[in-house]
Amino acid sequence: MRIPPPIVTLVFAAVIIAVDFYSPSWIKMAGLFWFSFAFFFLAVVLLLPAVIQFVHSKTTVNPYTPQKSTVLVSAGVYRFSRNPMYLGMA
């Protein structure tokens, strides 16, 4: 069974939120919200331009349909990372 990477990311995000919600208060660190927000912002900065680059190149974002790919994207954030979408989801 193939599960799309964004679904895997959302499931793990839900697990992280549930663990945070149900963990005792003495475990929680001060400033963790801003630390998490910084990583979320970095993820969006990587993901959004990557998806936009695919849309402008008129190629598929779906990794399970490589036959629908029309072009190899190597501009924008792809100059610095081979898989910025996966990096952003991680």
Side-chain angles (χ1 to χ4, degrees):
M1 173 165 65
R2 294 181 174 177
I3 302 172
I7 300 299
V8 173
T9 302
L10 290 175
V11 167
F12 277 100
V15 169
I16 290 169
I17 290 168
V19 166
D20 177 57
F21 184 76
Y22 290 109
S23 63
S25 61
W26 59 270
I27 292 179
K28 298 179 182 182
M29 296 171 28
L32 191 58
F33 172 80
W34 294 109
F35 184 73
S36 301
F37 183 77
F39 272 98
F40 177 77
F41 180 76
L42 182 62
V44 170
V45 165
L46 285 170
L47 276 167
L48 223 54
V51 172
I52 290 170
Q53 189 69 36
F54 265 53
V55 170
H56 284 297
S57 299
K58 295 181 177 73
T59 191
T60 182
V61 178
N62 188 348
Y64 298 125
T65 57
Q67 65 276 12
K68 292 183 179 179
S69 299
T70 58
V71 67
L72 176 65
V73 180
S74 60
V77 290
Y78 289 94
R79 291 180 297 167
F80 307 108
S81 174
R82 182 174 176 190
N83 290 311
M85 286 187 223
Y86 285 114
L87 183 61
M89 286 186 279

